[in-house]
Amino acid sequence: MYVRRILSCFCCLLFIVTSFEEVIAQTSYEDGKVAIIIDDFGGYTGGVTNFFDSDIPITVAIMPFLDASSEQANIAHEKGLEVMIHLPLEPKKGKRSWLGPLPITSELETAEVKRRVKKAIESVPHAKGLNNHMGSKIVGNERIVRAILEVAKEHDLYIVDSGTSGDSVIPKIAKELDIPFSVRDWFLDDTHSSRDHVYKQMLHVCELAKNNGEVIAIGHVGVKGIDTFNGISDALAHFEKNNVSIVPASHLLKTKIEKKPDSFWQE
């Protein structure tokens, strides 16, 4: 009787382990995909030249109306990189100077919002998509978001919600207008990020891709742009080892909306 009980327990345990392994197999992906959007191109700040001189297939998000906006869009396109418009939207807090020229602000009439979006598209040639720069005050404003997305639809642009506010109506309106869209899953950096911090964020993104199949991550050029570039570069071998590839953002337009954006980027 004792032996039978032992055998019965062993069989139950074997069943549980086998079932668990089957669940893991069903929820892991042999070939994960990550889109790495690098925001704030448009000027020659930290990391810009590094990314352009590398073979990393980033998606280049360019601020419109800056001295090098059109030039860098052309460079990116010539190098085979996907280009996006990094559209400046008014935040709840922050300096107006952070937005650059002709930002989308809450006092604008609908016609002026559309005019500025059209001019932004002219400023960034070869753009395939659009994401928001800041914008915690705007992304919850249905009138303004609808105006932005209607112009985007006219120009066949996809949308990536940068995830700067949990109140964003971008996904809702993009669905209504039948515009391809997705939402940022993870930030790789912030204004204080070190090379090691970005590297660790990349490792986390790699694990997310293995578990979920697809991930959209956002980093930045700028004051800490070289640290961002180096941290991403350091993690490439880990990505290759885990069969996780970096693809253009347009390839990944069905990720889940993150419910709690990183606090730094909410403003």
Side-chain angles (χ1 to χ4, degrees):
M1 181 65 71
Y2 180 75
V3 173
R4 288 181 180 177
R5 288 180 180 176
I6 293 295
L7 288 174
S8 178
C9 290
F10 177 78
C11 289
C12 289
L13 180 61
L14 182 62
F15 174 79
I16 292 171
V17 171
T18 302
S19 299
F20 179 74
E21 289 176 345
E22 289 177 354
V23 169
I24 293 297
Q26 292 170 0
T27 57
S28 63
Y29 295 79
E30 291 185 0
D31 300 305
K33 295 179 181 179
V34 174
I36 298 180
I37 299 171
I38 301 297
D39 287 347
D40 298 340
F41 277 81
Y44 280 98
T45 55
V48 167
T49 301
N50 304 73
F51 278 114
F52 278 152
D53 289 344
S54 76
D55 295 323
I56 306 172
I58 62 169
T59 299
V60 179
I62 300 176
M63 295 268 293
F65 314 124
L66 301 184
D67 291 341
S69 296
S70 296
E71 176 191 356
Q72 289 184 6
N74 287 324
I75 291 172
H77 181 69
E78 290 170 3
K79 290 180 174 291
L81 302 175
E82 189 161 281
V83 175
M84 298 181 68
I85 299 163
H86 191 44
L87 190 68
L89 309 182
E90 182 182 4
K92 293 177 181 176
K93 297 179 182 178
K95 297 179 181 179
R96 178 74 172 236
S97 60
W98 294 349
L99 294 174
L102 298 178
I104 304 300
T105 52
S106 55
E107 80 280 0
L108 296 178
E109 297 291 336
T110 300
E112 178 61 15
V113 171
K114 290 190 171 187
R115 187 186 76 85
R116 292 191 180 192
V117 176
K118 290 176 182 177
K119 289 184 68 67
I121 293 170
E122 293 172 2
S123 176
V124 184
H126 313 294
K128 303 297 183 185
L130 180 153
N131 74 339
N132 54 294
H133 171 65
M134 305 179 73
S136 55
K137 187 173 182 178
I138 297 298
V139 295
N141 185 317
E142 188 161 339
R143 174 184 68 86
I144 295 180
V145 170
R146 185 175 298 278
I148 294 169
L149 267 56
E150 284 176 350
V151 176
K153 183 177 177 67
E154 290 172 6
H155 290 80
D156 296 320
L157 299 179
Y158 67 80
I159 304 296
V160 173
D161 186 338
S162 297
T164 58
S165 172
D167 298 326
S168 176
V169 296
I170 290 176
K172 171 191 169 185
I173 296 177
K175 288 178 182 177
E176 288 180 12
L177 297 177
D178 195 26
I179 299 173
F181 80 96
S182 194
V183 182
R184 182 269 310 167
D185 295 295
W186 205 259
F187 277 123
L188 298 173
D189 57 13
D190 57 40
T191 53
H192 306 291
S193 292
S194 65
R195 176 177 188 162
D196 185 59
H197 173 80
V198 175
Y199 172 72
K200 290 177 179 177
Q201 295 303 302
M202 283 286 286
L203 297 189
H204 180 74
V205 165
C206 186
E207 289 304 306
L208 287 176
K210 287 171 62 179
N211 293 332
N212 301 325
E214 301 176 351
V215 178
I216 292 181
I218 291 181
H220 304 76
V221 292
V223 175
K224 302 292 289 184
I226 294 178
D227 288 291
T228 294
F229 169 78
N230 287 331
I232 291 172
S233 299
D234 292 344
L236 294 180
H238 184 78
F239 270 51
E240 183 176 357
K241 180 180 178 181
N242 286 273
N243 297 317
V244 174
S245 57
I246 300 173
V247 300
S250 61
H251 292 199
L252 309 181
L253 298 176
K254 293 183 179 179
T255 56
K256 296 179 181 179
I257 298 172
E258 186 176 22
K259 300 300 182 183
K260 296 182 180 179
D262 292 0
S263 59
F264 173 81
W265 301 101
Q266 288 180 327
E267 305 301 338

